[in-house]
Amino acid sequence: MTSSTVTSSQSPRPPRPNLAFRQLRGQRSPGEFAAAVRRAAREIGERVSCDARYVGRVEAGEIRCPNYAYERVFLHMFPGRTLADLGFAPRASVRGRGARETEDAPPEYPAIPSSHTDETAGAYEPYDTQDAQDPYETHDNYEESDVLRRAFMTGGATVAAASLSPFGFAYEASAADRPTRRVGAGEAGALEEAVRRIRLLDDRHGADGLYRRAAAPLRAAYELLDAGAVRQTTADRLHAGAGELAISVGWLAHDSGRFDDARSHYAEALATARVAGDAALEAHAFCNTAFLARDAGRPREAVRAAQAAQRVARPLGSPRLMSLLALREAGGWAGLADRAGCEQALARAQALYGRGSSEADPEWMSFYGEAELEGLEAQCWSALGDWRRAARHARRAAHLQNPHFTRNIALYTAELTDDLARGGQPDEAATAGMRVLDLLDEVQSSRIQTMLAATARVLLPHRRAAGVSAFLERHASVPRTA
C-alpha cells in the first residue's frame, strides 16, 4: 500500500457560483431540475446519477466543468448553447497537464489496492485527484470512463453487482495495512457516490444481486470514520455518508428477505446519526425501521418508529418527508387492523404531499413521488382486506411510475396482481402477473418473488382458466433467487 501527502500549504481557489446555470433552473427546485436532467439523459441513451446535491454543487461552482456524459445531456437540454453559455469553464482549464501546472495542487489521497477480482477490475472508475471534490468526475481517459459508466449502469444486475467497489480500497486488508493519515473530501465524495450508485442499481435491478457486494463498501465507510477527518465539515459528510450507506445496505437486505441483517444495518445507521447529531439521518433510519417492522409482522413497532421519525423530522421543514413518514405510520396501523388510525395517517400523508417539494427534501427521497404515494396506500388497503380499493391504487401506482424505477414498477404490478386475485378477478390477476414475470428478467427481488408465490397459491383453484393456467406454468418455471 502506498500513500502520498500534501506538499503545498496553499489552499485552493474558492469556487465562483455558476449564476448562468442557476438562471436556467428557473423556478424549479434542485430536485425537480435533477429529475429533468435524468429524463433528458434517458432521451439520448445516457445514464447520469443527477440529484439535488449535484445541481447545488454545480450552481455553487464546485463543479467547474461537467464530465462528457453530463455535457451531452446539458447540451441536449439547452440546444444551441455551449458549455460557456451554461456557465462552465473550458475543459482545458480544469483537465490535464496544463491545468495541473497552473492551479494549486490539491491533496492526493491514499492509493489503496483494490480487493476486487480480475472480472470486476476497472468496472468502477477511480476519482481524478485533480478535482477530488467532484465524485462525478472521472479518470484520465474521460471518454472511456463514460463508456464504463454506461456499461456499469446498463450491463445487468449480475455485472453491476460485481462492480460495487467505489473506493478502490482493500477492504480485507489487515489493520497494519490501512491508511494511518486522516481522510479528506475525496474520500467523502467517493462515499457519497457509492450511496447514489447502490440506489440507482437497486431502482433498476432490485436487491438480491447487490446485497453481498455492498457489504464491503460499508465496512470501508466505517474504517474511514475510524481514521478521522481533516476538517469537521468532512467528518460530518463521512458520518452522513456512512449512515446513508448503512441504510442503503440495510434496504438491500430488507428487500431480499434478510430481515435480521436489515434490522442490524438500520440500527447501525441510527447509532451513527445520534453520535453525529444528524436529525435528517436519524429520521431516515427510523423511516426504514418502520417499514421493516411492518414487513416483519411487527406493526406496533412500525407505528412507534414512524412516530419517532416524525418527531425528529418535523424541524427539518420538508412536507414531503413528513408525508412519507405518515405513510409509514399508516402501514403500521393497517397491520394492526386499525382502520381509523390508518385513514387518519393516510389523510395526513396526502395533505402533506400536496404542499409540494421544497429545498429541504432529502436527496434519498428521489423515489417518492405520486406513484409511491399510491403504491403505499395500496398496501395499506390490502392489509385491511379492501381488495378493490387496493387494486385501484396499485394500478395507478404502476401507471404513474417513472420507467427508470423498474423494480418499483414490478413491485406495484405484483401488488396489483395479488389484490385482483384476492378480490375475485383471477383472469385480470393472471394478466398482471405475466407483466411482473416479464420484468423479473431484469429485476432480482425476493420480496417480489414472495408476493408472486403467494398470489400463485391464491390462483390455484382457478387453474383451469386459460390465462391463469399460463401464468401458473410460467411462474413455476422461474428460477428462485437464493
Side-chain angles (χ1 to χ4, degrees):
M1 180 182 70
T2 62
S3 65
S4 57
T5 57
V6 181
T7 57
S8 171
S9 61
Q10 293 179 301
S11 57
R13 294 186 301 203
R16 296 179 181 177
N18 187 335
L19 301 180
F21 197 87
R22 173 63 187 89
Q23 186 175 14
L24 289 169
R25 174 161 67 84
Q27 298 300 312
R28 289 174 287 186
S29 72
E32 291 168 337
F33 187 77
V37 172
R38 296 193 299 270
R39 285 195 298 271
R42 288 194 295 274
E43 291 172 3
I44 60 173
E46 288 289 353
R47 294 284 181 185
V48 296
S49 53
C50 189
D51 53 26
R53 184 188 294 270
Y54 180 81
V55 173
R57 295 181 64 240
V58 170
E59 293 177 0
E62 295 176 22
I63 299 174
R64 295 187 296 137
C65 186
N67 65 28
Y68 285 102
Y70 274 98
E71 177 183 353
R72 286 188 283 269
V73 175
F74 292 150
L75 297 183
H76 171 68
M77 292 178 69
F78 304 106
R81 289 183 168 90
T82 65
L83 283 182
D85 296 331
L86 303 181
F88 292 110
R91 192 172 301 282
S93 70
V94 296
R95 296 295 195 198
R97 187 178 305 276
R100 293 176 191 272
E101 291 173 350
T102 59
E103 297 191 5
D104 295 333
E108 295 182 13
Y109 301 104
I112 306 175
S114 172
S115 64
H116 50 229
T117 61
D118 291 342
E119 67 173 329
T120 65
Y124 245 97
E125 63 267 25
Y127 296 96
D128 183 359
T129 57
Q130 193 277 328
D131 193 9
Q133 290 203 28
D134 184 3
Y136 294 86
E137 301 297 343
T138 54
H139 56 70
D140 292 340
N141 188 338
Y142 303 110
E143 290 287 5
E144 179 185 356
S145 299
D146 290 334
V147 173
L148 289 174
R149 182 184 297 101
R150 286 193 294 273
F152 179 87
M153 296 306 299
T154 61
T158 302
V159 173
S163 305
L164 279 172
S165 182
F167 306 127
F169 281 6
Y171 304 111
E172 306 302 331
S174 66
D177 291 332
R178 291 174 186 155
T180 56
R181 69 171 198 85
R182 293 212 249 177
V183 298
E187 288 89 346
L191 175 53
E192 291 160 353
E193 178 69 355
V195 175
R196 294 186 185 105
R197 294 199 176 202
I198 288 174
R199 289 173 180 162
L200 285 167
L201 290 169
D202 176 54
D203 292 340
R204 293 291 298 174
H205 304 296
D208 287 4
L210 302 177
Y211 174 62
R212 289 186 179 89
R213 290 285 181 173
L218 182 59
R219 289 195 298 274
Y222 280 93
E223 287 178 11
L224 289 177
L225 287 181
D226 288 340
V230 177
R231 296 179 178 87
Q232 184 59 46
T233 54
T234 303
D236 292 342
R237 287 176 65 189
L238 288 173
H239 275 93
E244 290 294 345
L245 188 56
I247 291 172
S248 292
V249 176
W251 167 247
L252 296 178
H254 179 172
D255 194 43
S256 56
R258 301 170 173 92
F259 288 176
D260 288 343
D261 288 353
R263 189 180 180 89
S264 175
H265 289 307
Y266 293 160
E268 187 171 36
L270 185 58
T272 302
R274 288 178 167 172
V275 166
D278 189 332
L281 178 59
E282 184 174 354
H284 191 185
F286 270 131
C287 175
N288 278 46
T289 299
F291 200 18
L292 174 65
R294 188 208 70 170
D295 285 355
R298 299 190 299 271
R300 196 167 299 281
E301 179 186 329
V303 171
R304 290 198 302 268
Q307 290 173 341
Q310 290 170 79
R311 287 194 298 272
V312 174
R314 196 166 287 114
L316 300 177
S318 170
R320 285 283 166 91
L321 174 57
M322 293 298 292
S323 172
L324 177 60
L325 298 176
L327 281 170
R328 296 288 187 244
E329 182 183 341
W333 289 124
L336 290 168
D338 187 332
R339 190 182 184 98
C342 180
E343 289 179 338
Q344 289 172 11
L346 285 174
R348 203 162 64 248
Q350 291 159 353
L352 287 162
Y353 185 87
R355 296 184 188 178
S357 59
S358 76
E359 298 283 350
D361 295 343
E363 72 171 83
W364 59 264
M365 286 186 62
S366 60
F367 73 94
Y368 184 54
E370 190 176 359
E372 181 72 3
L373 175 66
E374 293 285 344
L376 291 175
E377 182 165 354
Q379 292 172 16
C380 289
W381 294 120
S382 180
L384 290 168
D386 192 335
W387 312 117
R388 186 176 298 276
R389 185 175 293 189
R392 184 168 69 247
H393 286 284
R395 183 178 283 110
R396 278 182 52 79
H399 175 72
L400 291 167
Q401 183 59 70
N402 186 310
H404 165 74
F405 293 93
T406 312
R407 177 206 162 273
N408 279 1
I409 293 174
L411 176 65
Y412 302 147
T413 309
E415 174 71 31
L416 173 62
T417 302
D418 196 64
D419 295 333
L420 291 170
R422 296 176 189 277
Q425 298 175 275
D427 291 334
E428 288 188 46
T431 301
M434 285 293 200
R435 293 199 294 272
V436 181
L437 292 173
D438 290 338
L439 292 170
L440 288 184
D441 291 337
E442 188 174 355
V443 174
Q444 296 180 15
S445 170
S446 293
R447 186 178 180 211
I448 294 172
Q449 288 195 351
T450 299
M451 292 173 66
L452 273 188
T455 304
R457 290 192 291 272
V458 174
L459 290 175
L460 272 176
H462 307 276
R463 58 185 175 275
R464 292 189 178 181
V468 174
S469 175
F471 166 73
L472 292 175
E473 288 178 8
R474 186 176 169 194
H475 175 262
S477 69
V478 173
R480 301 295 182 261
T481 55

